[in-house]
Amino acid sequence: MATKRLMKEYNSIQKALSDTQEYENIVSLEPTGDLFSWCGVIRGPSNSPFQAGTWKIKIEVPQNYPIAPPKMKFVNKLCHPNVNFQTGEICLDILQNQWTPAWTLLTTMSAILLLLQDPEPTSPLNIDISNLLKSGDIKAYNGLIRFYTHKYAIDSV
Amino acid sequence: MSSFVPTVSDPSDFAHCSEPRLVEFDSLLRCHICKEYQTAPVLTTCGHSYCSVCIRKYLIHTAKCPICSKEIREANLQRNVLLEQVVICFKTLRDDLLEKLTVESKVDDRQRRGSCEVIEIDDNVEVDDELEIVSETKKRRNVGQGGLESLFKRKKTPPKVGPLGTCPICAKQFPIRVLESEHIDLCLNTPLLEQDKDSIVPKESEHSYQKLTKLDFSSLSNTTLKQKLAKLELPTNGNRNQLESRYNEYLILWNANCDSIVPKDPKVLRRQLAQWESSLKFRKDDHDRQLDKKGWSDLIKQARNSKMKTREEQDDAQVESIDIMSTNEEDDSNLITSAQPQNCSIQASTQESTDHERVFAD
Protein backbone atom coordinates (compact mmCIF):
# COMPACT_ATOMS: atom_id res chain seq x y z
CA MET A 1 0.00 0.00 0.00
CA ALA A 2 2.77 2.40 0.96
CA THR A 3 4.73 2.24 -2.30
CA LYS A 4 1.70 2.79 -4.46
CA ARG A 5 0.51 5.71 -2.43
CA LEU A 6 3.98 7.28 -2.40
CA MET A 7 4.16 6.96 -6.17
CA LYS A 8 0.84 8.74 -6.43
CA GLU A 9 2.03 11.43 -4.07
CA TYR A 10 5.25 11.88 -6.03
CA ASN A 11 3.26 12.32 -9.20
CA SER A 12 0.84 14.86 -7.77
CA ILE A 13 3.53 16.75 -5.83
CA GLN A 14 5.49 17.51 -8.98
CA LYS A 15 2.35 18.79 -10.67
CA ALA A 16 1.16 20.76 -7.64
CA LEU A 17 4.53 22.46 -7.12
CA SER A 18 4.83 23.53 -10.74
CA ASP A 19 1.19 24.39 -11.40
CA THR A 20 -0.17 26.12 -8.36
CA GLN A 21 0.82 29.16 -6.33
CA GLU A 22 -0.55 27.58 -3.17
CA TYR A 23 2.78 25.95 -2.35
CA GLU A 24 5.06 28.82 -3.33
CA ASN A 25 7.12 28.47 -0.16
CA ILE A 26 7.84 24.81 -0.78
CA VAL A 27 10.89 24.89 -3.02
CA SER A 28 11.15 21.17 -3.62
CA LEU A 29 9.94 17.87 -2.25
CA GLU A 30 11.55 14.80 -3.74
CA PRO A 31 12.51 11.26 -2.84
CA THR A 32 16.20 10.64 -2.36
CA GLY A 33 17.27 7.19 -3.40
CA ASP A 34 14.15 5.17 -2.71
CA LEU A 35 10.55 6.19 -2.09
CA PHE A 36 10.91 5.84 1.67
CA SER A 37 13.37 8.67 2.22
CA TRP A 38 12.54 12.13 0.96
CA CYS A 39 14.03 15.55 1.15
CA GLY A 40 12.07 18.78 1.17
CA VAL A 41 13.18 22.40 0.98
CA ILE A 42 11.08 25.26 2.33
CA ARG A 43 11.50 28.99 2.09
CA GLY A 44 10.75 31.32 4.99
CA PRO A 45 7.44 33.16 4.47
CA SER A 46 8.01 36.71 3.27
CA ASN A 47 6.11 38.46 6.08
CA SER A 48 8.00 36.68 8.86
CA PRO A 49 11.43 36.92 10.51
CA PHE A 50 12.25 33.71 8.65
CA GLN A 51 12.17 35.64 5.37
CA ALA A 52 14.97 34.82 2.89
CA GLY A 53 16.01 31.67 4.72
CA THR A 54 15.79 28.21 3.20
CA TRP A 55 15.64 25.03 5.26
CA LYS A 56 16.14 21.46 4.30
CA ILE A 57 13.80 18.90 5.84
CA LYS A 58 14.73 15.25 5.97
CA ILE A 59 11.74 12.94 5.69
CA GLU A 60 11.71 9.28 6.60
CA VAL A 61 8.61 7.37 5.57
CA PRO A 62 7.74 4.25 7.61
CA GLN A 63 6.84 0.98 5.90
CA ASN A 64 3.26 1.14 7.15
CA TYR A 65 2.70 4.68 5.82
CA PRO A 66 0.08 6.21 5.64
CA ILE A 67 -1.17 4.46 8.75
CA ALA A 68 1.86 5.75 10.63
CA PRO A 69 3.12 9.34 10.15
CA PRO A 70 6.35 10.20 8.33
CA LYS A 71 9.31 11.35 10.44
CA MET A 72 10.42 14.88 9.60
CA LYS A 73 13.47 16.77 10.83
CA PHE A 74 15.15 20.05 9.99
CA VAL A 75 18.64 19.54 8.61
CA ASN A 76 20.06 23.05 8.96
CA LYS A 77 19.52 24.90 12.19
CA LEU A 78 16.23 26.71 12.77
CA CYS A 79 15.45 28.96 15.70
CA HIS A 80 11.79 28.35 16.51
CA PRO A 81 9.87 27.63 19.74
CA ASN A 82 8.70 24.20 18.52
CA VAL A 83 11.89 23.02 16.86
CA ASN A 84 14.84 21.52 18.71
CA PHE A 85 17.78 23.77 17.86
CA GLN A 86 20.36 20.98 18.10
CA THR A 87 18.56 18.00 16.54
CA GLY A 88 16.04 19.69 14.24
CA GLU A 89 13.21 17.68 15.79
CA ILE A 90 9.77 19.21 15.16
CA CYS A 91 7.02 19.34 17.77
CA LEU A 92 3.89 19.21 15.69
CA ASP A 93 0.79 17.29 16.72
CA ILE A 94 0.08 15.90 13.26
CA LEU A 95 3.55 14.34 13.14
CA GLN A 96 2.66 12.48 16.32
CA ASN A 97 -0.72 11.56 17.77
CA GLN A 98 -2.92 13.74 15.56
CA TRP A 99 -1.70 12.14 12.33
CA THR A 100 -4.33 10.71 10.03
CA PRO A 101 -3.87 9.09 6.61
CA ALA A 102 -5.77 11.99 5.07
CA TRP A 103 -2.56 14.06 5.39
CA THR A 104 0.00 13.78 2.63
CA LEU A 105 3.70 14.66 2.56
CA LEU A 106 2.81 17.89 0.79
CA THR A 107 0.09 18.96 3.21
CA THR A 108 2.36 18.06 6.11
CA MET A 109 5.03 20.33 4.67
CA SER A 110 2.50 23.17 4.47
CA ALA A 111 1.58 22.46 8.08
CA ILE A 112 5.23 22.93 9.02
CA LEU A 113 5.27 26.22 7.10
CA LEU A 114 2.20 27.34 9.03
CA LEU A 115 3.95 26.38 12.26
CA LEU A 116 6.79 28.76 11.34
CA GLN A 117 4.39 31.70 11.29
CA ASP A 118 2.19 30.45 14.08
CA PRO A 119 4.38 29.01 16.88
CA GLU A 120 2.90 27.22 19.87
CA PRO A 121 4.95 28.45 22.89
CA THR A 122 3.09 26.21 25.35
CA SER A 123 4.83 23.06 24.11
CA PRO A 124 8.34 24.30 23.39
CA LEU A 125 11.39 22.40 22.20
CA ASN A 126 13.47 25.60 22.26
CA ILE A 127 12.82 27.10 25.67
CA ASP A 128 14.84 30.29 25.25
CA ILE A 129 13.09 31.58 22.15
CA SER A 130 9.70 30.47 23.45
CA ASN A 131 10.27 32.37 26.72
CA LEU A 132 10.90 35.51 24.67
CA LEU A 133 7.60 34.95 22.90
CA LYS A 134 5.74 34.18 26.12
CA SER A 135 7.03 37.32 27.80
CA GLY A 136 5.77 39.33 24.84
CA ASP A 137 9.16 40.64 23.71
CA ILE A 138 8.34 40.39 20.02
CA LYS A 139 11.20 42.68 19.04
CA ALA A 140 13.79 40.40 20.63
CA TYR A 141 11.98 37.30 19.34
CA ASN A 142 12.04 38.53 15.76
CA GLY A 143 15.61 39.80 16.09
CA LEU A 144 16.99 36.53 17.39
CA ILE A 145 15.22 34.55 14.70
CA ARG A 146 16.50 36.92 12.04
CA PHE A 147 20.03 36.51 13.39
CA TYR A 148 19.91 32.71 13.26
CA THR A 149 18.19 32.74 9.89
CA HIS A 150 21.05 34.79 8.47
CA LYS A 151 23.63 32.66 10.21
CA TYR A 152 22.36 29.22 9.23
CA ALA A 153 19.74 29.50 6.51
CA ILE A 154 21.01 31.87 3.83
CA ASP A 155 22.39 30.02 0.82
CA SER A 156 22.17 26.91 2.93
CA VAL A 157 20.60 24.65 0.33
CA MET B 1 11.49 5.16 -10.88
CA SER B 2 10.31 7.71 -13.38
CA SER B 3 9.29 4.88 -15.68
CA PHE B 4 6.65 3.85 -13.15
CA VAL B 5 5.15 7.24 -12.75
CA PRO B 6 3.11 7.59 -15.95
CA THR B 7 1.15 4.45 -15.05
CA VAL B 8 -0.12 6.11 -11.89
CA SER B 9 -3.38 7.92 -12.41
CA ASP B 10 -3.94 11.18 -10.61
CA PRO B 11 -6.77 13.73 -10.47
CA SER B 12 -4.45 16.33 -12.01
CA ASP B 13 -4.52 14.33 -15.27
CA PHE B 14 -7.62 16.37 -16.02
CA ALA B 15 -5.97 19.71 -15.30
CA HIS B 16 -5.02 20.32 -18.91
CA CYS B 17 -8.10 18.98 -20.67
CA SER B 18 -10.96 21.15 -21.82
CA GLU B 19 -12.84 20.55 -18.58
CA PRO B 20 -10.35 21.11 -15.72
CA ARG B 21 -13.16 21.03 -13.16
CA LEU B 22 -13.05 17.25 -13.52
CA VAL B 23 -9.93 17.35 -11.31
CA GLU B 24 -12.16 17.94 -8.33
CA PHE B 25 -14.66 15.29 -9.35
CA ASP B 26 -11.86 12.77 -9.84
CA SER B 27 -10.37 13.47 -6.43
CA LEU B 28 -13.76 13.14 -4.74
CA LEU B 29 -13.99 9.53 -5.89
CA ARG B 30 -10.67 8.63 -4.31
CA CYS B 31 -9.96 7.11 -0.94
CA HIS B 32 -8.17 9.43 1.45
CA ILE B 33 -6.00 6.62 2.68
CA CYS B 34 -4.66 4.98 -0.48
CA LYS B 35 -5.44 7.84 -2.93
CA GLU B 36 -6.81 5.25 -5.35
CA TYR B 37 -10.38 5.11 -6.58
CA GLN B 38 -12.43 3.65 -3.79
CA THR B 39 -12.80 -0.09 -3.97
CA ALA B 40 -15.75 -1.52 -2.08
CA PRO B 41 -16.34 1.83 -0.38
CA VAL B 42 -17.84 1.84 3.09
CA LEU B 43 -19.58 4.65 4.90
CA THR B 44 -18.59 5.55 8.45
CA THR B 45 -21.06 6.71 11.08
CA CYS B 46 -19.72 10.24 10.60
CA GLY B 47 -20.58 10.12 6.90
CA HIS B 48 -17.14 9.68 5.30
CA SER B 49 -16.24 7.05 2.77
CA TYR B 50 -13.09 4.94 2.39
CA CYS B 51 -12.01 1.74 0.72
CA SER B 52 -13.17 -1.07 2.93
CA VAL B 53 -9.67 -2.56 3.17
CA CYS B 54 -7.98 0.77 3.95
CA ILE B 55 -10.30 1.87 6.74
CA ARG B 56 -10.38 -1.60 8.31
CA LYS B 57 -6.58 -1.66 8.42
CA TYR B 58 -6.46 1.84 9.85
CA LEU B 59 -9.08 1.18 12.53
CA ILE B 60 -6.90 -1.57 13.99
CA HIS B 61 -4.28 1.12 14.52
CA THR B 62 -6.52 4.05 15.55
CA ALA B 63 -10.28 3.85 16.07
CA LYS B 64 -10.92 7.30 14.63
CA CYS B 65 -12.11 8.67 11.32
CA PRO B 66 -9.06 9.90 9.37
CA ILE B 67 -10.94 12.98 8.16
CA CYS B 68 -12.88 14.24 11.18
CA SER B 69 -11.24 12.28 14.03
CA LYS B 70 -14.59 11.12 15.37
CA GLU B 71 -14.54 7.78 17.07
CA ILE B 72 -15.79 5.03 14.78
CA ARG B 73 -16.02 1.26 15.02
CA GLU B 74 -15.37 -1.35 12.41
CA ALA B 75 -18.70 -3.02 13.18
CA ASN B 76 -20.59 0.15 12.19
CA LEU B 77 -19.16 0.45 8.69
CA GLN B 78 -21.85 0.30 6.04
CA ARG B 79 -21.32 -0.52 2.40
CA ASN B 80 -21.87 2.35 0.01
CA VAL B 81 -23.39 0.80 -3.09
CA LEU B 82 -24.21 3.91 -5.09
CA LEU B 83 -20.71 5.31 -4.61
CA GLU B 84 -19.17 2.08 -5.81
CA GLN B 85 -21.34 2.18 -8.92
CA VAL B 86 -20.38 5.78 -9.59
CA VAL B 87 -16.70 4.94 -9.16
CA ILE B 88 -16.88 1.93 -11.48
CA CYS B 89 -18.78 3.98 -14.02
CA PHE B 90 -16.23 6.79 -13.92
CA LYS B 91 -13.28 4.40 -14.01
CA THR B 92 -14.66 2.83 -17.17
CA LEU B 93 -15.19 6.20 -18.79
CA ARG B 94 -12.00 7.82 -17.57
CA ASP B 95 -9.55 7.01 -20.34
CA ASP B 96 -12.04 7.77 -23.10
CA LEU B 97 -13.06 10.92 -21.32
CA LEU B 98 -9.49 12.12 -20.98
CA GLU B 99 -8.67 11.33 -24.58
CA LYS B 100 -11.81 12.91 -25.97
CA LEU B 101 -11.56 15.99 -23.83
CA THR B 102 -7.98 16.55 -24.91
CA VAL B 103 -8.77 15.81 -28.56
CA GLU B 104 -11.99 17.81 -28.34
CA SER B 105 -10.25 21.00 -27.36
CA LYS B 106 -8.11 20.78 -30.50
CA VAL B 107 -11.07 19.93 -32.72
CA ASP B 108 -13.05 22.70 -31.09
CA ASP B 109 -10.55 25.32 -32.13
CA ARG B 110 -10.64 24.21 -35.72
CA GLN B 111 -14.40 23.95 -35.75
CA ARG B 112 -14.67 27.44 -34.36
CA ARG B 113 -12.47 28.70 -37.13
CA GLY B 114 -14.84 26.95 -39.53
CA SER B 115 -17.54 29.04 -37.83
CA CYS B 116 -19.21 26.04 -36.31
CA GLU B 117 -20.35 27.18 -32.93
CA VAL B 118 -20.03 24.76 -30.08
CA ILE B 119 -21.03 25.60 -26.56
CA GLU B 120 -20.18 23.84 -23.39
CA ILE B 121 -22.97 22.68 -21.19
CA ASP B 122 -22.75 24.10 -17.71
CA ASP B 123 -23.88 20.93 -16.01
CA ASN B 124 -21.06 18.99 -14.47
CA VAL B 125 -20.26 15.66 -15.97
CA GLU B 126 -21.01 14.10 -12.64
CA VAL B 127 -24.66 14.89 -13.20
CA ASP B 128 -24.52 13.25 -16.57
CA ASP B 129 -22.84 10.24 -15.06
CA GLU B 130 -25.60 9.85 -12.57
CA LEU B 131 -28.18 10.26 -15.22
CA GLU B 132 -26.56 7.42 -17.05
CA ILE B 133 -26.96 5.16 -14.12
CA VAL B 134 -30.63 5.94 -13.85
CA SER B 135 -31.55 5.91 -17.48
CA GLU B 136 -29.65 3.76 -19.87
CA THR B 137 -31.72 4.76 -22.87
CA LYS B 138 -30.42 8.28 -22.67
CA LYS B 139 -26.84 7.08 -22.66
CA ARG B 140 -27.33 4.76 -25.60
CA ARG B 141 -28.92 7.49 -27.62
CA ASN B 142 -26.05 9.79 -26.84
CA VAL B 143 -23.44 7.22 -27.72
CA GLY B 144 -25.27 6.53 -30.93
CA GLN B 145 -25.11 10.16 -31.81
CA GLY B 146 -21.39 10.32 -31.84
CA GLY B 147 -19.75 8.97 -28.78
CA LEU B 148 -19.08 10.61 -25.50
CA GLU B 149 -18.47 14.02 -26.96
CA SER B 150 -22.21 14.50 -27.17
CA LEU B 151 -22.36 14.28 -23.41
CA PHE B 152 -20.35 17.44 -23.11
CA LYS B 153 -20.89 19.41 -26.25
CA ARG B 154 -24.11 20.14 -27.94
CA LYS B 155 -24.48 22.28 -30.98
CA LYS B 156 -26.36 25.45 -30.30
CA THR B 157 -27.01 26.37 -33.90
CA PRO B 158 -26.51 24.35 -37.05
CA PRO B 159 -23.36 25.32 -38.94
CA LYS B 160 -24.03 28.22 -41.20
CA VAL B 161 -21.14 28.19 -43.60
CA GLY B 162 -20.05 25.48 -46.06
CA PRO B 163 -21.96 22.67 -47.68
CA LEU B 164 -23.12 19.89 -45.41
CA GLY B 165 -22.32 16.22 -45.76
CA THR B 166 -23.64 13.16 -44.01
CA CYS B 167 -21.23 11.00 -42.11
CA PRO B 168 -21.45 7.45 -43.43
CA ILE B 169 -20.82 6.04 -39.99
CA CYS B 170 -22.98 7.93 -37.56
CA ALA B 171 -25.36 9.46 -40.14
CA LYS B 172 -25.01 12.93 -38.67
CA GLN B 173 -24.56 16.05 -40.75
CA PHE B 174 -21.35 18.04 -40.64
CA PRO B 175 -19.71 20.69 -42.81
CA ILE B 176 -17.83 18.73 -45.45
CA ARG B 177 -14.53 20.26 -44.42
CA VAL B 178 -14.90 19.08 -40.82
CA LEU B 179 -16.23 15.74 -41.97
CA GLU B 180 -13.23 15.06 -44.16
CA SER B 181 -10.54 16.42 -41.90
CA GLU B 182 -11.62 15.27 -38.45
CA HIS B 183 -14.92 13.63 -38.03
CA ILE B 184 -14.65 10.39 -39.99
CA ASP B 185 -11.41 9.45 -38.26
CA LEU B 186 -12.94 10.17 -34.89
CA CYS B 187 -16.09 8.27 -35.72
CA LEU B 188 -14.16 5.26 -36.97
CA ASN B 189 -12.06 5.16 -33.85
CA THR B 190 -15.03 5.08 -31.53
CA PRO B 191 -15.37 1.44 -30.61
CA LEU B 192 -18.66 0.01 -31.76
CA LEU B 193 -18.65 -2.28 -28.77
CA GLU B 194 -19.50 0.63 -26.55
CA GLN B 195 -22.75 1.09 -28.35
CA ASP B 196 -23.71 -2.54 -27.92
CA LYS B 197 -22.90 -2.80 -24.28
CA ASP B 198 -25.95 -2.70 -22.10
CA SER B 199 -24.52 -0.90 -19.13
CA ILE B 200 -21.12 -0.12 -17.74
CA VAL B 201 -22.39 -0.20 -14.21
CA PRO B 202 -22.52 -3.66 -12.73
CA LYS B 203 -25.71 -4.60 -10.98
CA GLU B 204 -25.59 -5.62 -7.38
CA SER B 205 -24.84 -9.27 -7.58
CA GLU B 206 -26.13 -11.67 -5.02
CA HIS B 207 -23.28 -13.53 -3.47
CA SER B 208 -23.13 -16.04 -0.71
CA TYR B 209 -19.96 -14.75 0.95
CA GLN B 210 -20.40 -14.54 4.70
CA LYS B 211 -18.24 -12.21 6.75
CA LEU B 212 -15.59 -13.86 8.88
CA THR B 213 -15.41 -13.21 12.59
CA LYS B 214 -12.42 -12.21 14.65
CA LEU B 215 -10.85 -15.03 16.54
CA ASP B 216 -9.91 -15.04 20.18
CA PHE B 217 -6.43 -16.44 19.63
CA SER B 218 -5.67 -16.89 23.30
CA SER B 219 -8.30 -19.58 23.60
CA LEU B 220 -7.23 -21.40 20.45
CA SER B 221 -4.72 -24.18 20.27
CA ASN B 222 -2.27 -24.39 17.40
CA THR B 223 -4.12 -27.28 15.81
CA THR B 224 -7.54 -25.64 15.87
CA LEU B 225 -6.06 -22.49 14.40
CA LYS B 226 -4.47 -24.54 11.64
CA GLN B 227 -7.80 -26.25 11.05
CA LYS B 228 -9.47 -22.88 10.72
CA LEU B 229 -6.86 -21.76 8.19
CA ALA B 230 -7.13 -25.02 6.27
CA LYS B 231 -10.89 -24.60 6.11
CA LEU B 232 -10.30 -21.27 4.38
CA GLU B 233 -7.79 -23.01 2.06
CA LEU B 234 -4.92 -21.00 3.50
CA PRO B 235 -1.42 -22.38 4.11
CA THR B 236 -0.80 -23.68 7.61
CA ASN B 237 2.99 -23.39 7.74
CA GLY B 238 4.95 -20.95 9.87
CA ASN B 239 5.03 -20.19 13.57
CA ARG B 240 2.15 -19.10 15.76
CA ASN B 241 2.68 -15.39 15.06
CA GLN B 242 2.67 -15.94 11.32
CA LEU B 243 -0.50 -18.02 11.57
CA GLU B 244 -2.28 -15.34 13.57
CA SER B 245 -1.25 -12.43 11.37
CA ARG B 246 -2.11 -14.46 8.27
CA TYR B 247 -5.61 -15.02 9.60
CA ASN B 248 -6.02 -11.37 10.56
CA GLU B 249 -4.88 -10.10 7.17
CA TYR B 250 -7.16 -12.53 5.38
CA LEU B 251 -10.03 -11.49 7.66
CA ILE B 252 -9.64 -7.89 6.47
CA LEU B 253 -9.33 -8.84 2.80
CA TRP B 254 -12.30 -11.17 3.01
CA ASN B 255 -14.62 -8.85 4.93
CA ALA B 256 -13.71 -5.92 2.67
CA ASN B 257 -14.47 -8.10 -0.33
CA CYS B 258 -17.92 -8.81 1.10
CA ASP B 259 -18.63 -5.07 0.97
CA SER B 260 -18.12 -4.93 -2.78
CA ILE B 261 -20.97 -5.21 -5.26
CA VAL B 262 -18.62 -7.14 -7.50
CA PRO B 263 -16.79 -9.38 -5.02
CA LYS B 264 -13.63 -11.09 -6.19
CA ASP B 265 -13.13 -14.81 -6.21
CA PRO B 266 -11.53 -16.16 -3.01
CA LYS B 267 -8.63 -17.30 -5.20
CA VAL B 268 -7.82 -13.66 -5.95
CA LEU B 269 -7.90 -12.87 -2.25
CA ARG B 270 -5.56 -15.75 -1.50
CA ARG B 271 -3.18 -14.41 -4.12
CA GLN B 272 -3.33 -10.96 -2.50
CA LEU B 273 -2.61 -12.58 0.85
CA ALA B 274 0.39 -14.39 -0.65
CA GLN B 275 1.65 -11.12 -2.10
CA TRP B 276 1.27 -9.44 1.25
CA GLU B 277 3.18 -12.24 2.94
CA SER B 278 5.95 -12.23 0.38
CA SER B 279 6.29 -8.46 0.72
CA LEU B 280 6.90 -8.98 4.43
CA LYS B 281 9.38 -11.74 3.63
CA PHE B 282 11.07 -9.60 1.01
CA ARG B 283 11.61 -6.85 3.52
CA LYS B 284 13.07 -9.36 5.97
CA ASP B 285 15.16 -10.99 3.26
CA ASP B 286 16.56 -7.67 2.24
CA HIS B 287 17.64 -7.06 5.79
CA ASP B 288 19.12 -10.55 6.09
CA ARG B 289 21.03 -10.26 2.87
CA GLN B 290 22.73 -7.08 4.05
CA LEU B 291 23.70 -8.84 7.21
CA ASP B 292 24.85 -11.80 5.18
CA LYS B 293 27.43 -9.88 3.20
CA LYS B 294 29.01 -8.57 6.39
CA GLY B 295 28.34 -11.82 8.18
CA TRP B 296 30.10 -13.88 5.54
CA SER B 297 33.28 -11.86 5.52
CA ASP B 298 33.31 -12.04 9.32
CA LEU B 299 32.78 -15.79 9.21
CA ILE B 300 35.58 -16.25 6.70
CA LYS B 301 37.88 -14.15 8.88
CA GLN B 302 36.96 -16.25 11.91
CA ALA B 303 37.57 -19.43 10.00
CA ARG B 304 40.95 -18.18 8.78
CA ASN B 305 41.90 -17.23 12.33
CA SER B 306 40.93 -20.57 13.75
CA LYS B 307 42.86 -22.24 10.94
CA MET B 308 45.88 -20.18 11.85
CA LYS B 309 45.47 -21.31 15.44
CA THR B 310 45.25 -24.95 14.51
CA ARG B 311 48.22 -24.46 12.24
CA GLU B 312 50.19 -23.06 15.18
CA GLU B 313 49.05 -25.92 17.35
CA GLN B 314 50.12 -28.33 14.71
CA ASP B 315 53.46 -26.53 14.57
CA ASP B 316 53.73 -26.99 18.27
CA ALA B 317 53.05 -30.65 17.83
CA GLN B 318 56.13 -30.66 15.61
CA VAL B 319 54.62 -32.26 12.60
CA GLU B 320 56.79 -32.03 9.50
CA SER B 321 56.51 -28.54 8.09
CA ILE B 322 56.06 -29.54 4.45
CA ASP B 323 53.13 -31.78 5.28
CA ILE B 324 51.48 -29.01 7.23
CA MET B 325 51.77 -26.61 4.36
CA SER B 326 50.11 -29.02 2.02
CA THR B 327 47.37 -29.94 4.45
CA ASN B 328 46.77 -26.29 5.15
CA GLU B 329 46.43 -25.52 1.50
CA GLU B 330 43.99 -28.36 1.27
CA ASP B 331 42.13 -27.07 4.28
CA ASP B 332 41.91 -23.61 2.80
CA SER B 333 40.47 -24.88 -0.42
CA ASN B 334 38.15 -27.10 1.61
CA LEU B 335 37.08 -24.03 3.50
CA ILE B 336 36.33 -22.14 0.33
CA THR B 337 34.40 -25.00 -1.21
CA SER B 338 32.52 -25.59 2.00
CA ALA B 339 31.66 -21.91 2.13
CA GLN B 340 30.30 -21.87 -1.38
CA PRO B 341 27.72 -24.64 -0.99
CA GLN B 342 26.44 -22.90 2.13
CA ASN B 343 26.02 -19.74 0.13
CA CYS B 344 24.19 -21.72 -2.53
CA SER B 345 21.95 -23.30 0.04
CA ILE B 346 20.79 -19.82 1.04
CA GLN B 347 19.92 -19.02 -2.54
CA ALA B 348 18.22 -22.36 -2.77
CA SER B 349 16.14 -21.64 0.29
CA THR B 350 15.01 -18.28 -1.10
CA GLN B 351 14.20 -20.09 -4.34
CA GLU B 352 12.24 -22.53 -2.28
CA SER B 353 10.29 -19.79 -0.59
CA THR B 354 9.34 -18.21 -3.91
CA ASP B 355 8.31 -21.64 -5.14
CA HIS B 356 6.25 -22.02 -2.06
CA GLU B 357 4.60 -18.69 -2.72
CA ARG B 358 3.75 -19.79 -6.20
CA VAL B 359 2.08 -22.87 -4.80
CA PHE B 360 0.43 -20.66 -2.25
CA ALA B 361 -0.85 -18.36 -4.95
CA ASP B 362 -2.29 -21.24 -6.93
Side-chain angles (χ1 to χ4, degrees), chain A residues 28-155:
Chain A
S28 69
L29 180 57
E30 282 172 339
T32 54
D34 65 13
L35 275 171
F36 290 92
S37 52
W38 290 56
C39 180
V41 176
I42 58 165
R43 191 185 294 127
S46 53
N47 53 352
S48 72
F50 299 99
Q51 188 176 351
T54 44
W55 288 270
K56 212 170 169 180
I57 295 175
K58 198 176 152 219
I59 304 165
E60 275 175 51
V61 185
Q63 292 287 342
N64 59 345
Y65 179 81
I67 292 188
K71 290 192 181 92
M72 297 197 174
K73 254 185 185 181
F74 278 98
V75 177
N76 49 328
K77 284 191 163 59
L78 172 71
C79 179
H80 184 279
N82 307 106
V83 176
N84 188 316
F85 190 70
Q86 296 302 327
T87 63
E89 187 193 336
I90 306 166
C91 178
L92 184 59
D93 54 356
I94 60 152
L95 285 175
Q96 282 122 35
N97 51 1
Q98 290 299 307
W99 167 262
T100 86
W103 290 92
T104 65
L105 294 180
L106 192 60
T107 51
T108 312
M109 290 285 279
S110 352
I112 291 176
L113 268 165
L114 285 177
L115 183 73
L116 284 194
Q117 286 162 298
D118 213 354
E120 183 51 68
T122 49
S123 58
L125 277 178
N126 185 336
I127 293 159
D128 299 328
I129 192 74
S130 93
N131 277 345
L132 279 181
L133 187 64
K134 266 194 240 170
S135 63
D137 195 348
I138 299 301
K139 212 172 175 184
Y141 172 81
N142 284 344
L144 200 58
I145 288 176
R146 228 173 274 131
F147 168 74
Y148 279 116
T149 300
H150 278 267
K151 190 166 182 195
Y152 293 111
I154 303 289
D155 302 324

Side-chain angles (χ1 to χ4, degrees), chain B residues 296-351:
Chain B
W296 275 116
S297 54
D298 284 351
L299 273 178
I300 289 168
K301 245 182 226 166
Q302 272 180 17
R304 290 244 159 89
N305 285 343
S306 64
K307 271 289 136 194
M308 289 293 280
K309 265 181 202 164
T310 45
R311 198 183 290 179
E312 279 160 18
E313 278 165 18
Q314 281 170 341
D315 271 345
D316 290 345
Q318 292 181 339
V319 186
E320 277 181 39
S321 60
I322 305 160
D323 279 346
I324 299 163
M325 286 302 285
S326 62
T327 47
N328 276 338
E329 267 169 20
E330 234 170 69
D331 281 351
D332 270 354
S333 62
N334 277 348
L335 183 70
I336 290 163
T337 44
S338 68
Q340 278 164 347
Q342 265 173 306
N343 218 340
C344 289
S345 71
I346 283 172
Q347 284 168 356
S349 69
T350 46
Q351 180 64 38

Side-chain angles (χ1 to χ4, degrees), chain B residues 41 46 86 88 110 122 152 200 202 229 262 296 298 310 320:
Chain B
C46 50
V86 172
I88 292 174
R110 287 187 202 174
D122 275 339
F152 307 103
I200 38 175
L229 287 169
V262 276
W296 275 116
D298 284 351
T310 45
E320 277 181 39

